Amino acid sequence: MDLVDKAKNFVAEKVANMPKPEASVTDVDLKGISRECITYQAKVSVKNPYSVPIPICEISYVLKSATRVIASGNIPDPGSLKGDETTLLEVPVKVPHSVLLSLARDIGRDWDIDYELDLGLIIDLPVIGNFTIPLSQKGEIKLPTFSDLFGGGGKSKDDETAAAEC
């Protein structure tokens, strides 16, 4: 093995053993309702093992119910992870009303749906470059009731603000 191969192996081994940020989804809940969509919010806790902030390049998400994709999207440049701390990220997931209506067969008596949320946090690690932290969460989320949709009850938010987000 020549010197260049030895150097490549050494660097690859060091990079593989470097501490990397760790993340987990802590909650997924109804955030708001607008005329166009329903917004759920995923809360993601990310621990940065480094003393310096790490930029987050992008967050991608895919929300599925009964193996069908009901929402997907990207959030470009959502900020940075604080150095030597745990950062709580809020990821808005927008689901059009038409998609929720098509899920009627999956709705239980308690007005919820089973979901699977796949997230990818793309961060810019020094030396390594872009690194994706994959996350997956399964559970149940509540659908808004008819009174939430038409009566303005529940966790509804200002219509102009919510409409601008969809």
Side-chain angles (χ1 to χ4, degrees):
M1 190 184 289
D2 68 358
L3 185 59
V4 172
D5 287 336
K6 286 182 182 179
K8 284 181 185 177
N9 288 340
F10 176 79
V11 170
E13 185 179 311
K14 290 297 179 192
V15 167
N17 293 325
M18 283 179 63
K20 295 173 186 71
E22 297 177 8
S24 63
V25 177
T26 60
D27 188 32
V28 178
D29 204 1
L30 178 64
K31 180 182 180 188
I33 302 166
S34 73
R35 290 180 190 93
E36 289 78 22
C37 68
I38 296 168
T39 303
Y40 291 95
Q41 180 170 280
K43 294 183 180 175
V44 180
S45 176
V46 188
K47 171 75 175 110
N48 179 359
Y50 300 107
S51 59
V52 296
I54 296 175
I56 305 169
C57 302
E58 181 179 81
I59 299 174
S60 62
Y61 65 85
V62 176
L63 180 64
K64 300 177 204 165
S65 179
T67 68
R68 294 186 353 222
V69 173
I70 59 173
S72 63
N74 295 318
I75 302 168
D77 195 22
S80 296
L81 302 176
K82 298 173 190 152
D84 260 340
E85 286 187 39
T86 298
T87 302
L88 184 64
L89 302 172
E90 295 180 348
V91 181
V93 177
K94 297 167 183 64
V95 182
H97 293 299
S98 59
V99 173
L100 289 177
L101 292 174
S102 73
L103 292 175
R105 62 187 164 99
D106 187 41
I107 298 172
R109 275 178 275 149
D110 51 358
W111 207 242
D112 61 18
I113 59 169
D114 294 330
Y115 75 88
E116 181 176 351
L117 177 64
D118 295 323
L119 293 169
L121 273 64
I122 303 169
I123 57 175
D124 186 9
L125 287 177
V127 181
I128 297 175
N130 285 358
F131 175 78
T132 300
I133 302 172
L135 294 165
S136 189
Q137 172 83 15
K138 291 182 180 182
E140 292 182 345
I141 47 178
K142 293 282 182 195
L143 291 173
T145 64
F146 286 114
S147 64
D148 290 336
L149 292 172
F150 301 110
K155 295 183 181 181
S156 183
K157 58 195 279 192
D158 178 71
D159 277 338
E160 288 86 36
T161 304
E165 292 180 356
C166 292

